Amino acid sequence: MTEGTAETGAATGGVNILLRLEGLTLFAGMVMLYAAWDGSWLVFALLFFVPDLSFLAYLSDAKFGALVYNAAHSYMAPVALLTLGFGLASPLTLSIALIWLAHIGIDRALGYGLKYSAGFGFTHLGRIGRQKDA
């Protein structure tokens, strides 16, 4: 399968750049909010890469891997957590949500998009990995 097929289509050109800039903006915004919130930077460092543990689901197969990875790298859960954190006035819940969103933001800025079931290297932001130019 190639990048341009319906199963692995990816944003290109200006749209890709815009999506990556949105990711950078999300990362910067969440880090600034975390700093303003006076969150623990040790907690930030410990939790920042936790969403990447979702890639272990690829040990099962690509379809399950993409499902789990996308669940951990979609905005839905951390925004729901952020809302819950504000509603419950829970500093820990807010901190986790901010860190999670910062992680997603930097991933998107670096080109690590949501995955297609064709394999880990097929993302909505284009191919990643050694075969990206193939």
Side-chain angles (χ1 to χ4, degrees), residues 9-94:
T12 59
V15 172
N16 184 284
I17 293 168
L18 180 61
L19 290 171
R20 290 176 73 161
L21 287 172
E22 283 181 342
L24 184 59
T25 302
L26 179 64
F27 171 74
M30 294 304 102
V31 169
M32 288 189 291
L33 282 174
Y34 194 80
W37 179 251
D38 202 24
S40 164
W41 291 105
L42 177 60
V43 170
F44 190 96
L46 289 173
L47 296 181
F48 188 75
F49 291 106
V50 167
D52 283 339
L53 294 175
S54 62
F55 84 90
L56 293 172
Y58 277 93
L59 295 173
S60 174
D61 67 43
K63 186 175 182 178
F64 183 67
L67 177 74
V68 173
Y69 184 92
N70 289 344
H73 288 82
S74 165
Y75 301 131
M76 292 181 287
V79 169
L81 195 63
L82 187 71
T83 304
L84 184 66
F86 275 112
L88 299 176
S90 171
L92 179 59
T93 304
L94 285 168

